[in-house]
Amino acid sequence: MAALNLFVAGVMGLVSVALGAVGAHVLDPSDSDALRWLDTALRYAGWHVAALVALGLYIRTARLPDRWAGLASLALIIGLLLFSGSLYAMAFGAPRALSVVTPIGGVALMLGWLILMLWAVFGRRP
């Protein structure tokens, strides 16, 4: 799971920087929806990429499988791909119908954080 976290964090970090740069030069400044979607996707991706890196490093250094960390990671990965991914796609011209995916990704992100909170209370103690 550590490798998956770090891989997805690397891919999403790279994609975020690239799409942010492309968006700054390609998107029409008068298209407020596209700019807002891009900004939201970039902000959420930044925070969740950092969380995936932290979880990945924890899993790698703990050298113990931890179901809580794995579940939180999986929820954050799914949420990041669905939430930021759908916003990136719409910002660059995908149909607005894709917006039905965005809240599903948001729920997955919240689930990841909820699992992290539960892990803090009920998870394995060192």
Side-chain angles (χ1 to χ4, degrees):
M1 196 68 189
L4 179 63
N5 276 26
L6 296 172
F7 179 80
V8 171
V11 168
M12 289 303 292
L14 174 70
V15 166
S16 294
V17 171
L19 291 180
V22 169
H25 297 286
V26 171
L27 292 179
D28 179 359
S30 67
D31 189 349
S32 62
D33 285 341
L35 293 173
R36 191 177 70 250
W37 292 328
L38 181 62
D39 179 63
T40 301
L42 291 169
R43 279 186 291 112
Y44 276 71
W47 285 106
H48 291 89
V49 162
L52 285 175
V53 169
L55 277 168
L57 293 175
Y58 168 80
I59 294 167
R60 181 165 280 176
T61 57
R63 298 186 190 273
L64 296 169
D66 195 309
R67 184 178 39 204
W68 292 95
L71 288 173
S73 297
L74 190 57
L76 290 175
I77 289 169
I78 291 169
L80 183 57
L81 294 174
L82 294 178
F83 184 85
S84 288
S86 63
L87 290 174
Y88 287 141
M90 290 190 311
F92 288 99
R96 284 185 178 217
L98 192 59
S99 67
V100 300
V101 174
T102 310
I104 297 168
V107 169
L109 290 172
M110 289 186 285
L111 181 61
W113 290 107
L114 176 63
I115 294 167
L116 197 60
M117 291 176 351
L118 293 173
W119 179 29
V121 175
F122 301 110
R124 178 181 306 137
R125 300 282 191 248

